[in-house]
Amino acid sequence: MNNQQFNLITDPWIKVVDGDSKTCEVSLIDFFEKASNYRQLAGEMRSQDLAIVRFLLAILHTVYSRFSNENKPYEWLEIDPDNFQVLNSSTDYDEEDLLDTWENLFQGGEFSTIVVDYLKHNQESFNMFGEHPFYQVSRADYDSLVLEKYKIEKGTGTVAIKQMNRQISESNNTPDLFSPKISDFKNELDMPELVRWLISYQNYTGVTDKAKVETSEKFSTPSGWLYKLNPVYVQGKNLFETLMLNLVFDYDDEYHIERPIWECSDIKKYVEWRKKELLPDNRASLYTAWSRLIHIKWSSDGVPTIYSAGVPMYSSDNAFDIEPMSIWKKKSKKEPDIYVPAVKNKDYMDIAMWRNFGDYVNPNKSNEIHRPGIVKWLSRLKGDGILNRSLPISLVSVALVSDGNATSQSPFAEISDDLTMRLDVIFDDNSDFWPRRIEDTIDLTQDVSKSYWKFSDNLSKIRHLDSKEFNKKQMSKFYDRLNVPFKEWLASLSDQDDRDEKINKWKKTLWNIVNSEAKDFMKNSSPRDITGVEEDNNKSLNIFIARNRLLGSVANKLGIKR
């Protein structure tokens, strides 16, 4: 395989959906030249797509932090003409230059030719084979950085294709019974898919593998950085818009050189830096951070053996200034000043995004909530008049949720959700502040759900059912009924609305849903539901009484006359 070539710049590997809703694979050059023609990525998983988005953003951060939309280097930088890397930066750095570039690119609707020029000048860094293969290290570097027992010749420390493929995530010890591939094909990938999983794996590794780089102090094999977030990003109407809206230039007074992993000429220095566990000061480095040192050994007939060794990972404590794609929470009561990503838990996966509206928008402007960096970035673009205030913004959350097992952290489920609102609603500057009114409406909806829970609990008593399981199932169904109409209501809002009129419209919708759910139970009631039971206070309880209590409680909370 020594003469094999596969270069990400010229060979197709990015899976996209084009304007005709057809799926195809394109190279990096094709992608950046026609990004506005592609609606969305279409990889094997949505979480994989997010990892690819961050990889593509790393390229854009690198290029447009050095060159303007007119393909000219900023005056305050000295650029190496051979590889387009930064040689020197002066103190004359002007953030407005970056903002101007962003605005001109967005208005132009396409990336300038400097992106492709940059890729061509760094072509060898994107070759899957050769002296410095993409997202891999040479055998000599791998052997020099890992413990003796994990050197290549020992044949240990390997990770199977079926483990790297997060649709399967199967170890050699525990077969995945519900795999999308049968056993004979679990370890097979074509080259484009291998590239996608290679990028994805660095972001979503679990902690099962034992091999590590050699360090003077012990460290735990880390999971991938993206795996530890509760990710949120902005989705545009095509991939050009999606990338632009997530291209965050918010470095204020100090310029930070973007340092993607492929610009690291000495992998040993990179590992030495990672051993210090220092948070990067630039997003290209963050978005291309490795959780594993990987070496791929190819057999003569083209079968890869993948060697993988853990690399120390920096902490995510208070990383909200550099990581813009996550919501955050306080780490603990004992450490109230430390914020960490509010990672999704498998026990609470059914909580829709709109129910955590406050974590994304901070409607009460609390000092104890850190909005995601991309939301703050949109606020700035809207405040500077760069984005139209009526622009609809779709915030999308895609999370690969782990099994919660501290010794494996294998993928348990993938969940995605979205919220669409106009900019003038998210960043309303009227005195009758929409975000606060929305948050109050969500609180009211949650309060109504408590009445529904009580109704469900009464039914479980009447039917002599396990109330915990029954209520959990019924509440999940109830919120499923709310999700679509509430998101549609959010998307319909504008800063010109009569707030009370719009909120009353949602109250009516909510009332109709509660009524509809209650009617469904009445239609399917059994003789036991009608006969009912006697409560502890010697009063009768049947389905009619339960329904009347529900409707009375909800009508009172919504201020509706029955």
Side-chain angles (χ1 to χ4, degrees):
M1 295 292 288
N2 289 335
N3 297 322
Q4 185 78 2
Q5 292 285 322
F6 189 94
N7 198 301
L8 279 66
I9 292 174
T10 52
D11 291 306
W13 65 276
I14 306 172
K15 215 168 181 177
V16 296
V17 176
D18 65 18
D20 295 324
S21 300
K22 294 179 180 175
T23 302
C24 58
E25 289 177 345
V26 296
S27 67
L28 278 171
I29 288 180
D30 288 337
F31 178 83
F32 282 114
E33 287 182 339
K34 304 170 187 170
S36 60
N37 293 346
Y38 305 127
R39 286 169 42 198
Q40 62 186 66
L41 296 178
E44 283 68 28
M45 297 176 72
R46 293 200 67 182
S47 49
Q48 182 198 75
D49 289 343
L50 179 57
I52 302 297
V53 162
R54 286 165 68 96
F55 167 75
L56 297 170
L57 282 170
I59 295 172
L60 294 176
H61 271 285
T62 302
V63 173
Y64 287 118
S65 65
R66 301 172 187 176
F67 296 89
S68 73
N69 58 293
E70 296 178 333
N71 305 328
K72 297 177 181 176
Y74 299 117
E75 292 181 355
W76 30 270
L77 288 179
E78 182 183 356
I79 300 294
D80 187 329
D82 292 331
N83 56 19
F84 288 8
Q85 294 188 24
V86 177
L87 293 173
N88 283 301
S89 62
S90 76
T91 56
D92 295 333
Y93 157 67
D94 187 350
E95 187 199 15
E96 290 300 319
D97 290 342
L98 299 183
L99 283 173
D100 288 344
T101 292
W102 195 101
E103 181 176 10
N104 291 328
L105 284 172
F106 192 75
Q107 290 180 347
E110 61 183 8
F111 297 114
S112 57
T113 56
I114 192 66
V115 180
V116 171
D117 289 344
Y118 169 83
L119 292 172
K120 289 179 177 177
H121 277 73
N122 291 275
Q123 192 155 345
E124 281 309 305
S125 299
F126 295 90
N127 194 343
M128 281 291 288
F129 301 88
E131 191 175 347
H132 300 290
F134 175 77
Y135 264 43
Q136 305 156 60
V137 297
S138 66
R139 175 170 183 159
D141 282 337
Y142 190 90
D143 280 346
S144 69
L145 289 166
V146 300
L147 295 169
E148 179 68 27
K149 59 183 177 180
Y150 295 122
K151 292 186 186 300
I152 302 294
E153 66 178 9
K154 305 291 183 182
T156 58
T158 61
V159 58
I161 291 286
K162 60 184 179 182
Q163 175 76 2
M164 179 180 279
N165 182 338
R166 306 315 265 167
Q167 285 184 310
I168 305 175
S169 296
E170 177 181 306
S171 69
N172 289 326
N173 301 320
T174 309
D176 178 10
L177 300 178
F178 304 102
S179 167
K181 291 186 177 182
I182 62 173
S183 298
D184 290 346
F185 298 98
K186 285 181 178 177
N187 275 317
E188 291 189 5
L189 292 177
D190 60 23
M191 188 59 72
E193 193 176 354
L194 176 61
V195 173
R196 294 193 292 271
W197 283 122
L198 183 60
I199 294 171
S200 183
Y201 191 66
Q202 291 287 11
N203 287 276
Y204 296 108
T205 39
V207 297
T208 52
D209 37 350
K210 306 299 181 189
K212 306 175 186 178
V213 300
E214 188 170 12
T215 57
S216 57
E217 296 181 10
K218 288 185 178 180
F219 72 96
S220 299
T221 306
S223 53
W225 177 264
L226 193 47
Y227 208 12
K228 299 189 298 181
L229 305 182
N230 187 342
V232 57
Y233 69 99
V234 188
Q235 182 168 293
K237 65 177 184 288
N238 56 51
L239 282 171
F240 169 79
E241 273 199 5
T242 295
L243 290 173
M244 284 302 300
L245 292 170
N246 292 284
L247 185 62
V248 180
F249 285 139
D250 61 350
Y251 293 134
D252 297 328
D253 298 328
E254 186 178 357
Y255 178 73
H256 299 271
I257 299 175
E258 298 286 348
R259 301 183 188 277
I261 185 66
W262 56 82
E263 287 193 359
C264 179
S265 58
D266 187 341
I267 201 63
K268 292 177 183 175
K269 287 184 179 178
Y270 176 74
V271 172
E272 283 304 311
W273 172 72
R274 288 292 299 274
K275 288 178 182 178
K276 298 175 184 175
E277 301 185 10
L278 299 174
L279 194 65
D281 64 0
N282 65 93
R283 295 205 169 89
S285 176
L286 183 76
Y287 290 170
T288 60
W290 287 356
S291 59
R292 296 292 183 273
L293 207 64
I294 285 180
H295 172 74
I296 301 180
K297 181 181 177 183
W298 294 90
S299 69
S300 57
D301 53 355
V303 177
T305 300
I306 301 173
Y307 293 83
S308 169
V311 181
M313 181 62 80
Y314 29 77
S315 167
S316 60
D317 289 1
N318 289 342
F320 39 77
D321 284 337
I322 189 67
E323 175 51 73
M325 293 186 180
S326 185
I327 59 173
W328 303 83
K329 66 175 184 179
K330 288 184 179 179
K331 189 172 186 176
S332 67
K333 290 182 179 178
K334 292 181 179 178
E335 299 172 293
D337 296 330
I338 297 179
Y339 288 77
V340 295
V343 181
K344 288 273 189 185
N345 184 306
K346 70 176 184 178
D347 295 326
Y348 299 97
M349 293 192 304
D350 59 348
I351 297 178
M353 204 172 165
W354 62 266
R355 292 167 66 185
N356 292 322
F357 175 81
D359 291 335
Y360 296 94
V361 179
N362 191 11
N364 296 314
K365 301 183 179 178
S366 167
N367 292 328
E368 297 188 346
I369 292 179
H370 287 278
R371 291 183 298 175
I374 56 163
V375 175
K376 289 192 284 188
W377 174 241
L378 292 173
S379 174
R380 181 169 184 177
L381 295 174
K382 185 251 184 183
D384 288 352
I386 296 175
L387 290 181
N388 189 314
R389 57 188 297 111
S390 64
L391 182 71
I393 292 294
S394 291
L395 296 176
V396 178
S397 175
V398 176
L400 190 61
V401 181
S402 87
D403 60 6
N405 186 327
T407 60
S408 64
Q409 295 186 31
S410 296
F412 177 79
E414 182 185 60
I415 54 176
S416 63
D417 199 357
D418 62 89
L419 281 179
T420 299
M421 292 172 285
R422 285 171 40 138
L423 269 183
D424 57 10
V425 171
I426 304 174
F427 309 114
D428 186 11
D429 47 17
N430 289 301
S431 56
D432 197 3
F433 190 54
W434 246 137
R436 194 173 300 120
R437 298 296 300 274
I438 293 170
E439 184 76 342
D440 290 343
T441 305
I442 291 171
D443 288 344
L444 176 63
T445 305
Q446 306 266 39
D447 197 24
V448 166
S449 77
K450 292 177 183 175
S451 297
Y452 193 82
W453 181 92
K454 184 61 180 175
F455 171 67
S456 169
D457 196 52
N458 282 334
L459 287 181
S460 72
K461 290 176 183 173
I462 294 168
R463 296 178 178 182
H464 301 295
L465 299 173
D466 180 333
S467 60
K468 186 177 179 181
E469 288 301 315
F470 184 75
N471 292 341
K472 183 179 179 181
K473 184 178 179 181
Q474 297 309 317
M475 292 311 296
S476 179
K477 289 172 62 179
F478 180 66
Y479 273 115
D480 281 347
R481 286 288 305 272
L482 297 184
N483 288 343
V484 171
F486 191 85
K487 291 200 292 187
E488 290 176 346
W489 177 77
L490 269 184
S492 74
L493 305 180
S494 82
D495 68 343
Q496 302 301 311
D497 291 329
D498 180 315
R499 290 2 180 207
D500 292 333
E501 185 180 315
K502 277 287 189 180
I503 291 170
N504 286 335
K505 189 174 181 180
W506 167 248
K507 287 180 180 178
K508 187 176 180 181
T509 302
L510 181 55
W511 170 252
N512 288 338
I513 291 173
V514 172
N515 257 295
S516 174
E517 290 293 302
K519 281 181 182 176
D520 285 347
F521 275 107
M522 297 303 294
K523 285 180 185 175
N524 299 300
S525 59
S526 66
R528 173 177 284 179
D529 292 337
I530 296 170
T531 304
V533 295
E534 192 173 276
E535 294 185 287
D536 293 340
N537 55 9
N538 298 324
K539 290 185 177 180
S540 295
L541 174 64
N542 59 33
I543 195 168
F544 300 103
I545 295 171
R547 183 196 61 174
N548 286 338
R549 288 179 182 175
L550 167 67
L551 298 184
S553 171
V554 173
N556 184 48
K557 289 176 178 177
L558 297 179
I560 290 176
K561 291 183 179 179
R562 299 176 60 186

